[in-house]
Amino acid sequence: MHKTTLITTAGITLLGLAPASAADFAARPYGKAPPPAYVTPLPSWAGFYLGANGGADWSRNCWTLNRVGGVAVLPTQSEGCHNASSGLIGGQVGYRWQAASWVFGLEAQGDWTNLKSSNASTAALAAGITNNTKTDAIGLFTGQVGYAWGNVLWYVKGGAAVAHNKYTGTANAAAPVAVGTLLDSASETRWGGTVGTGVEFGFAPNWSVAVEYDHLFMGSRDINFPATANVNSRVDTIKQDIDLATVRVNYRFGPSGATRY
């Protein structure tokens, strides 16, 4: 009898609490989530760009005589080296991709220059000849990998290089003809490799300025000088290296930034 009374009392109590419990768990009114906060667009380096560059360049050319009149010179005879410096001006065009802060690109660059230098040959078989080298055009075809901090980009680059060279031999005081007389000549378009690095700064929407340094490994080539009325034919192995230091201004086509949230 006491058990029955206790169970009945407990049941009535639970029924009395049920409405309050249901009220406690009633659904809350639905409301829209707040919109995401807008953050100022960050600079983007991706897209096509076109620009101009100018600066200074240096070259070193070393000549070694290895054949005269079709006969090999054994051992070969060094004709000495000469260094040149000049200004240069040109342009570049490229395309970049960006993944987070990493930037990848391809670029072609062309420059006009006037690297000229000479030295009197130190080879006994070329006595009386002054060797002259002139480089008047340089091109670079490179890939880039860089890392961006907002509107600042640091990058490294590497690829192919090409230079147009003209070579002449002229008479000096030791020659039996008038000083400055053209004795022989040759020209070439030489391919080599290049590596470089630069820092670029975005100073306005789609505009950037950079400073860049490149070293060109142009290697050694055998250059044939045909015979003339004054000298026999000769073949010289000419080794060449070129360095460039440029300031570049680029305009990038496309949106000025990529919105980030």
Side-chain angles (χ1 to χ4, degrees):
M1 180 65 180
H2 291 289
K3 285 184 179 180
T4 302
T5 303
L6 183 60
I7 292 172
T8 302
T9 304
I12 292 170
T13 303
L14 288 173
L15 288 173
L17 292 174
S21 299
D24 289 342
F25 292 98
R28 296 183 178 179
Y30 173 78
K32 281 187 175 182
Y38 179 76
V39 177
T40 303
L42 296 178
S44 172
W45 294 95
F48 285 100
Y49 63 91
L50 182 67
N53 71 78
D57 54 351
W58 303 265
S59 68
R60 181 173 176 81
N61 299 272
C62 295
W63 297 39
T64 301
L65 186 65
N66 62 53
R67 188 172 291 271
V68 174
V71 178
V73 176
L74 298 174
T76 59
Q77 296 182 5
S78 171
E79 295 203 56
C81 301
H82 42 262
N83 301 321
S85 61
S86 176
L88 79 165
I89 188 169
Q92 62 276 346
V93 60
Y95 186 85
R96 284 172 173 154
W97 299 263
Q98 185 166 356
S101 294
W102 291 98
V103 179
F104 308 90
L106 296 172
E107 183 183 273
Q109 174 180 332
D111 289 278
W112 292 274
T113 185
N114 191 34
L115 289 166
K116 295 191 295 185
S117 58
S118 63
N119 73 281
S121 176
T122 57
L125 293 176
I129 298 178
T130 294
N131 293 322
N132 309 271
T133 302
K134 178 180 179 180
T135 302
D136 55 16
I138 296 171
L140 304 179
F141 303 90
T142 55
Q144 299 179 2
V145 178
Y147 192 85
W149 292 268
N151 62 339
V152 178
L153 172 67
W154 170 73
Y155 60 89
V156 293
K157 61 190 292 187
V162 61
H164 183 254
N165 300 313
K166 297 178 180 179
Y167 308 106
T168 58
T170 55
N172 57 38
V177 295
V179 173
T181 300
L182 178 64
L183 301 177
D184 55 12
S185 64
S187 64
E188 65 160 349
T189 299
R190 180 181 298 210
W191 287 87
T194 182
V195 294
T197 185
V199 176
E200 193 161 347
F201 173 73
F203 63 90
N206 298 84
W207 287 96
S208 60
V209 61
V211 291
E212 182 178 299
Y213 165 78
D214 301 285
H215 180 75
L216 282 58
F217 304 87
M218 304 310 293
S220 299
R221 303 288 187 275
D222 284 344
I223 307 300
N224 180 48
F225 293 82
T228 67
N230 293 311
V231 292
N232 289 320
S233 66
R234 60 172 170 155
V235 177
D236 265 272
T237 300
I238 301 178
K239 183 179 185 300
Q240 183 178 59
D241 290 282
I242 302 174
D243 293 277
L244 313 179
T246 55
V247 176
R248 302 147 57 89
V249 177
N250 288 327
Y251 179 81
R252 184 182 58 81
F253 298 90
S256 60
T259 304
R260 308 285 178 86
Y261 293 96

